[in-house]
Amino acid sequence: MAFYYDEPSHTFSEYLLVPGYSSAECIPTNVSLKTPLVRYRQGEEPSLSMNIPLVSAIMQSVSDNTMAVALAKEGGVSFIFVSQPIEEQAEMIRKVKNAKAGFVTSDANLPVDATLADVLELKARLGHSTMAVTSDGTASGKLVGLVTSRDYRVSRMSPDLPVKEFMTPIEKIIYAREGVTLSEANDIIWEHKLNALPVLREDGTLHSFVFRKDYDAHKEQPLELLDSSKRYIVGAGVNTKDYEERIPALVEAGADVLCIDSSEGYSEWQKRTLEFVRSRYGDSVKIGAGNVVDAAGFRFLADCGADFVKVGIGGGSICITRETKGIGRGQATAVIDVARARDEYFKETGIYVPICADGGIVHDYHLTLALAMGADFCMLGRYFSRFDESPTNKVLVNGSYMKEYWGEGSARARNWQRYDLGGAAKLSFEEGVDSYVPYAGSLHNNLATTLAKIRSTMCNCGALTIPELRDRAKLTLVSSVSIVEGGAHDVLLKDQANGFSR
């Protein structure tokens, strides 16, 4: 006879946190959101931690090298999507590792035969006022000159004027050589009152730029997640099909952590992938696994050597696995159950295996609930897809700007490897949709608000760290009526009174 759970599974929206005592020290600026990313033994420090408990989803519409750099600057980690050729994914990893903090690869480049019209087109398209003129028009060509907005006047110059006639030539440019430290580069910028400092290789080819405007930004990013070489930390997704070729390529490219991307992780396929990593690399390569929704799934992956375990099936905003296959579990209940198993595993073995809540996050406060319920960090797709840094197009839909967002199980992504159960190499049916999400602007500004909410709520619970929140949180189930009570009600909102809908 089938096993039946005594209680229904619940979502995050069915819970609220009950405030606890807050001391005078319990203020948001004192809150630390540092959290482990990979397993560690009792009494030891994890080899890889994050400064905020957020990672971006392994999705075509979310995580590329641009998102990875932006999120690492804030203290989190992106897992670059796996549903692409191996070399293309490895190249994205290399781009992140080459984007050394403060050293920017030039994306505004012109060939020597360019004209003023080309300058104006590039500026309109990218918004950059500093452009490199290189021998071949690429970011790695030999630097010939620089063009800034001070080098030309549109009203007095012909669009056909060659760039070499008004650019600042290399002979008049102050530059640094590859190997200069960020501190030394900033000293040169301030000493010579520069806005941009080119960094050249020994053969005169362009390596990167250091910008004056980035100095303050760098100082304002104390949570930057960097490796021992001051390069951004980056993750990458892998699958259970071509892992023997993909994983070595990603490791060689510099990936700091991997994660098996699968709709369901309680399988021999994941065991084989983890065994391959451990037999070839030992513990030097870090790899997470999942997804699971109960204690048995967690225990299986932990015993197989997973460095972290992802929790959640069918709760993503673009996921229709529950509709098409009837499998899954309410995300709150899944996190609570797996967190309990994680703690039991820690008591038995002395090994702490972090868990990641993946899916089911609709509102910012759901993040705090997930952490209170035992998650070490959360993986977000829809949340990050709304920002400038996501790889999708910004489009105008019914008068509002939107960003495209599609699931890995959709016909658009056709990531059949993620849903593979050993059958034919194809996507038999869709488990995700193709959609739009409201455009929200920059990651930095939106994330700052989200993190402020988490820190404030933690203070309401009397907690200054995520482990303290987990220990001190008091959670209550709420009724449908109390959910209504929690929002604005029994009033006429001003924007509606003026004829606008909220």
Side-chain angles (χ1 to χ4, degrees):
M1 182 178 177
F3 176 81
Y4 292 86
Y5 288 91
D6 294 331
E7 298 291 335
S9 61
H10 298 284
T11 67
F12 293 127
S13 290
E14 295 177 77
Y15 285 90
L16 286 176
L17 285 157
V18 176
Y21 171 73
S22 299
S23 68
E25 293 182 351
C26 214
I27 58 175
T29 53
N30 289 340
V31 171
S32 169
L33 295 178
K34 189 171 183 177
T35 193
L37 179 57
V38 298
R39 67 162 57 202
Y40 61 93
R41 290 189 175 276
Q42 188 172 12
E44 299 178 355
E45 288 293 318
S47 59
L48 190 56
S49 295
M50 297 186 294
N51 293 323
I52 63 172
L54 302 179
V55 299
S56 67
I58 311 169
M59 300 174 68
Q60 295 174 6
S61 56
V62 179
S63 298
D64 66 352
N65 52 288
T66 301
M67 177 62 71
V69 170
L71 188 51
K73 288 180 179 180
E74 305 295 336
V77 171
S78 280
F79 285 87
I80 291 178
F81 69 94
V82 60
S83 50
Q84 61 178 316
I86 294 173
E87 182 51 38
E88 291 182 16
Q89 187 185 19
E91 180 59 26
M92 286 188 179
I93 296 293
R94 284 190 285 269
K95 286 181 178 179
V96 177
K97 302 309 285 187
N98 289 334
K100 192 173 180 181
F103 293 84
V104 181
T105 300
S106 178
D107 61 355
N109 308 290
L110 296 162
V112 290
D113 59 353
T115 65
L116 177 59
D118 296 321
V119 171
L120 299 177
E121 187 277 329
L122 192 60
K123 182 177 181 180
R125 180 158 51 90
L126 299 178
H128 299 323
S129 58
T130 298
M131 304 173 196
V133 181
T134 63
S135 55
D136 58 3
T138 70
S140 57
K142 188 171 184 179
L143 186 65
V144 177
L146 289 180
V147 175
T148 71
S149 56
R150 293 176 297 181
D151 292 316
Y152 59 87
R153 293 185 67 178
V154 177
S155 60
R156 297 189 179 184
M157 296 164 64
S158 168
D160 298 327
L161 187 65
V163 69
K164 59 186 177 182
E165 293 190 18
F166 60 88
M167 70 180 185
T168 302
I170 185 65
E171 295 80 12
K172 296 183 180 181
I173 295 173
I174 295 172
Y175 57 84
R177 289 292 185 185
E178 183 180 9
V180 66
T181 68
L182 184 59
S183 177
E184 292 169 342
N186 281 317
D187 286 343
I188 296 172
I189 287 174
W190 287 100
E191 179 182 351
H192 296 278
K193 300 179 180 180
L194 306 175
N195 288 323
L197 176 70
V199 179
L200 307 185
R201 302 182 182 90
E202 286 300 323
D203 61 0
T205 57
L206 183 60
H207 174 271
S208 57
F209 276 99
V210 178
F211 292 98
R212 174 188 287 263
K213 63 181 178 62
D214 288 342
Y215 177 81
D216 291 334
H218 183 66
K219 294 298 182 182
E220 292 172 359
Q221 293 165 341
L223 299 180
E224 275 185 322
L225 205 57
L226 307 173
D227 64 17
S228 58
S229 300
K230 303 296 184 183
R231 301 176 302 174
Y232 294 117
I233 298 290
V234 60
V238 299
N239 60 49
T240 58
K241 300 301 293 183
D242 63 8
Y243 57 88
E244 292 183 349
E245 296 80 35
R246 188 176 294 269
I247 289 177
L250 298 180
V251 171
E252 183 180 354
D256 298 281
V257 58
L258 307 174
C259 183
I260 302 174
D261 181 36
S262 175
S263 65
E264 204 279 300
Y266 196 178
S267 72
E268 183 178 345
W269 309 112
Q270 298 228 351
K271 181 180 180 181
R272 292 181 183 182
T273 306
L274 293 168
E275 286 176 344
F276 167 79
V277 171
R278 295 297 168 238
S279 64
R280 179 156 181 169
Y281 300 102
D283 293 329
S284 64
V285 169
K286 306 303 179 183
I287 180 169
N291 288 18
V292 300
V293 292
D294 64 2
F298 170 84
R299 172 72 66 156
F300 173 78
L301 292 177
D303 287 340
C304 288
D307 283 294
F308 64 87
V309 174
K310 286 205 294 156
V311 181
I313 293 176
S317 60
I318 41 69
C319 184
I320 55 173
T321 294
R322 296 181 193 174
E323 292 180 24
T324 57
K325 296 173 66 175
I327 64 169
R329 200 177 191 189
Q331 185 67 349
T333 299
V335 170
I336 293 168
D337 193 11
V338 174
R340 188 177 294 118
R342 186 262 328 274
D343 294 343
E344 291 173 357
Y345 190 83
F346 182 52
K347 289 179 182 178
E348 292 176 20
T349 66
I351 298 173
Y352 188 91
V353 181
I355 64 172
C356 167
D358 178 18
I361 303 295
V362 180
H363 305 292
D364 286 349
Y365 81 90
H366 289 172
L367 295 168
T368 318
L369 283 172
L371 298 173
M373 291 172 179
D376 295 279
F377 55 96
C378 299
M379 177 171 278
L380 304 173
R382 179 193 61 83
Y383 178 88
F384 288 115
S385 70
R386 304 172 301 147
F387 303 143
D388 290 319
E389 293 81 1
S390 76
T392 63
N393 295 320
K394 184 173 72 171
V395 295
L396 195 61
V397 179
N398 296 329
S400 298
Y401 279 108
M402 312 288 283
K403 290 275 280 186
E404 295 176 306
Y405 180 48
W406 60 91
E408 289 297 293
S410 67
R412 182 170 186 173
R414 301 211 63 80
N415 183 6
W416 66 269
Q417 297 94 331
R418 188 177 197 273
Y419 302 89
D420 179 54
L421 294 175
K426 65 177 183 177
L427 196 67
S428 300
F429 53 87
E430 291 183 84
E431 292 188 45
V433 300
D434 197 343
S435 63
Y436 297 108
V437 291
Y439 168 66
S442 73
L443 181 149
H444 175 74
N445 292 336
N446 284 276
L447 187 57
T449 301
T450 296
L451 297 177
K453 292 178 183 178
I454 295 174
R455 293 187 179 100
S456 179
T457 304
M458 288 174 62
C459 288
N460 292 142
C461 297
L464 291 176
T465 66
I466 292 174
E468 284 184 5
L469 174 66
R470 194 177 303 149
D471 291 339
R472 299 179 184 180
K474 295 180 291 184
L475 294 114
T476 180
L477 278 167
V478 294
S479 68
S480 59
V481 178
S482 62
I483 292 174
V484 174
E485 179 186 62
H489 60 90
D490 300 317
V491 295
L492 180 63
L493 300 180
K494 288 186 175 181
D495 52 1
Q496 292 177 344
N498 291 328
F500 300 101
S501 60
R502 183 172 180 175

